[in-house]
Amino acid sequence: MKTTLSVIKADIGSIAGHIKPSRALIDSVKECIDRQLGKLITDFYIGSTGDDVAILFCHNHGTGYGELHQLAWDAFICGTEKAKEQGLYGAGQDLLADACSGNVRGLGPAVAEMEFEEREAEPFLLFTADKTDPGAYNLPLYLGFADPMHCSGLILSPKIGRGFRFVILDVAFTEEDRVIELDAPEELYDIAALLRDNERFVVSAIYSRATGNQAAAASTTRLHNIAGKYTGKDDPVLLVRCQGDFPATGEILSPYSIGHYVAGFMRGSHTGPLMPVKMGGAISYFDGPPIVSAVGFCVHNGKLTEPVDCFDHPYWDFVREKVARKSYDMREQGFSGPAMLPYAELEYGGIVSIMDKLEKKFSR
Ligand code: F6R
Ligand code: MG
Ligand code: MG
C-alpha cells in the first residue's frame, strides 16, 4: 500500500507578536488530531517554526484527500479558539475562509504532499520556514538537486547523475496553475533563469529522472494572491526524500550553509538571510531573521520514527553566526535599496499612500 505524507501549516496565533505559538495552542491542535490516529491517519507529528504550526500527517489516502484537509482545518480552528482564549496575537490569521469544503489549498494554510511506495528504508526531511515566502527554497533545491558543488552524488552515483526533473510554478498567474517541467542538467540555464525570480517562479516538485520517483514537494501558497491584499508572509513548507536514488540528507542540507538573502523579515517587506535554526525556534531580531528548520524522519509502514533536529549541531552554530552578521549588514542600511522589497512585494499599503500624496506635490 502506498504511503502519503501531507504537511499542512498555518499561523493561527502567537505569543508576544509574531514570535512563537503557545504550548496550549499546540496541545489543542494535537488533541484534535490525536482522535484520528489509527483511523484516518497512521501517524502524525506537530512542530512549530517561529509563529507557525506545521502538522505532518502519514496516511494512505493519496494527495488532496478531502477528509484529511478537513481534519487539518478543524485542528487549526481548535488552535485558533485556544489562541483567542489566551489573547494571542494574530489568532486565526492564516485561515482566510469561513469554512473549508474539503481542500485547504487556496484558503490560507500552506500544503505540501507526496504519495509513494515506501522503500525498505524511507528517510525524508521536513523543512518549515518562517518570515519568508516559497521562493526561499528555490536556491537550496537547485543546488541540492542540480549542482555537484553541493550534491556530490551527481558525479559519484550514476543513478543520481541521470539528473532530476524540476516542476516550476508561475505563482503570479492566479487563474489556474501555470506550470513548466524542466530537466537538469540539460536545461540547467533555463531552470536558473526562472528560479532567479523567487517572487514569481517557485519549485513545486522534483522527480528522479532515473526512476521517475518523486523526490520533493513544496508549498506554493502566496497569501497576498489569495487574499488580494497583505495578510502576512507565506512561510513555506517542503518535503524531501533522501538517499538511494535521491541526494543524500547532507547534500540536501548543504545549501543552507549559505544563508542566502530572501524576501520577508519585518512586516514581510524586507530582505534578510535565511537562518537555519533548531526545531521549535522563536523569532526575535527585527521580526526575523527569516528562519528555516529541518526535521529528519524515517517512515515505515506509515509510522514515523522520532524526529531528528538536523540543524542542531555545532556546525550550524558557525552558520548562524555568519547569518547573524549578514542580517546586521543588510539591516545597517534600513529602508535603502535592496534592504526593503520592491513595491509589488511590500505587504503594507503605506508607501503607496505616501507616493499618492506626494504625487500631487511634485512640480515640473
Ligand atoms: C510571518 C509574519 C509576518 C507578519 C507581518 C505582519 O510569520 O509574522 O509576515 O504577518 O509582519 O504583522 P502585523 O500583523 O503585526 O501587521
Ligand atoms: Mg506571522
Ligand atoms: Mg509565520
Side-chain angles (χ1 to χ4, degrees):
M1 193 189 293
K2 284 188 175 176
T3 292
T4 310
L5 297 177
S6 301
V7 55
I8 306 186
K9 108 44 281 195
D11 175 353
I12 48 171
S14 50
I15 304 173
H18 297 278
I19 303 297
K20 189 178 172 153
S22 67
R23 191 65 253 168
L25 183 159
I26 294 177
D27 286 348
S28 66
V29 171
K30 184 166 184 287
E31 223 170 89
C32 187
I33 310 274
D34 244 340
R35 287 184 224 129
Q36 286 299 330
L37 189 57
K39 298 176 192 157
L40 183 61
I41 55 175
T42 52
D43 209 350
F44 74 99
Y45 161 84
I46 298 182
S48 72
T49 306
D51 59 8
D52 297 305
V53 179
I55 315 169
L56 172 66
F57 299 97
C58 293
H59 59 103
N60 308 116
H61 305 290
T63 60
Y65 187 64
E67 281 184 47
L68 193 276
H69 281 228
Q70 188 66 50
L71 173 62
W73 183 268
D74 293 344
F76 287 138
I77 295 286
C78 287
T80 298
E81 277 158 17
K82 182 55 76 179
K84 286 183 180 160
E85 193 185 308
Q86 293 189 302
L88 300 189
Y89 188 71
Q93 174 180 302
D94 282 356
L95 307 182
L96 302 181
D98 295 331
C100 167
S101 54
N103 197 320
V104 297
R105 268 185 210 279
L107 304 185
V111 186
E113 300 183 281
M114 238 195 297
E115 185 189 32
F116 51 82
E117 208 67 66
E118 279 180 15
R119 297 168 291 171
E120 205 174 303
E122 189 56 67
F124 73 94
L125 293 170
L126 163 65
F127 289 92
T128 53
D130 189 36
K131 304 296 180 271
T132 188
D133 59 27
Y137 294 126
N138 280 357
L139 183 63
L141 286 173
Y142 173 88
L143 296 174
F145 281 92
D147 187 342
M149 293 289 281
H150 290 268
C151 182
S152 58
L154 292 168
I155 51 177
L156 294 175
S157 153
K159 250 191 173 176
I160 297 178
R162 293 267 303 276
F164 293 89
R165 171 161 299 177
F166 284 68
V167 182
I168 298 170
L169 189 71
D170 177 353
V171 289
F173 197 79
T174 48
E175 290 94 87
E176 57 185 326
D177 281 356
R178 185 164 182 260
V179 195
I180 189 168
E181 296 191 4
L182 294 169
D183 285 340
E186 292 87 336
E187 296 172 298
L188 215 48
Y189 297 164
D190 295 337
I191 295 172
L194 293 182
L195 297 189
R196 59 162 284 283
D197 188 348
N198 289 337
E199 297 347 297
R200 169 134 190 222
F201 298 106
V202 169
V203 178
S204 62
I206 299 176
Y207 293 84
S208 157
R209 292 176 66 197
T211 61
N213 290 336
Q214 187 167 3
S219 67
T220 52
T221 315
R222 295 302 320 271
L223 288 171
H224 74 258
N225 289 344
I226 296 172
K229 61 177 172 52
Y230 154 79
T231 52
K233 266 301 182 232
D234 318 295
D235 305 335
V237 290
L238 164 70
L239 291 166
V240 183
R241 295 167 76 197
C242 307
Q243 306 292 150
D245 305 334
F246 305 127
T249 307
E251 289 168 338
I252 294 299
L253 295 173
S254 171
Y256 295 89
S257 280
I258 297 169
H260 64 299
Y261 287 105
V262 297
F265 225 154
M266 173 60 74
R267 299 186 184 277
S269 302
H270 293 80
T271 301
L274 189 65
M275 180 181 276
V277 297
K278 296 176 193 173
M279 287 157 55
I283 287 295
S284 180
Y285 170 61
F286 201 60
D287 275 8
I291 58 171
V292 61
S293 64
V295 189
F297 298 91
C298 279
V299 59
H300 190 59
N301 296 330
K303 287 276 171 205
L304 293 168
T305 56
E306 76 249 37
V308 173
D309 189 342
C310 296
F311 291 140
D312 184 4
H313 182 278
Y315 173 76
W316 298 101
D317 291 336
F318 149 77
V319 173
R320 286 189 272 271
E321 287 246 355
K322 181 186 80 166
V323 175
R325 178 81 229 175
K326 288 180 74 166
S327 303
Y328 181 77
D329 288 348
M330 186 57 97
R331 289 306 319 134
E332 271 192 318
Q333 67 179 69
F335 55 78
S336 179
M340 206 180 244
L341 295 179
Y343 272 22
E345 290 300 325
L346 292 178
E347 299 233 322
Y348 288 75
I351 300 249
V352 178
S353 330
I354 292 175
M355 290 310 292
D356 286 349
K357 181 185 74 187
L358 296 183
E359 202 54 46
K360 295 170 203 122
K361 289 191 169 182
F362 271 101
S363 62
R364 41 175 180 148

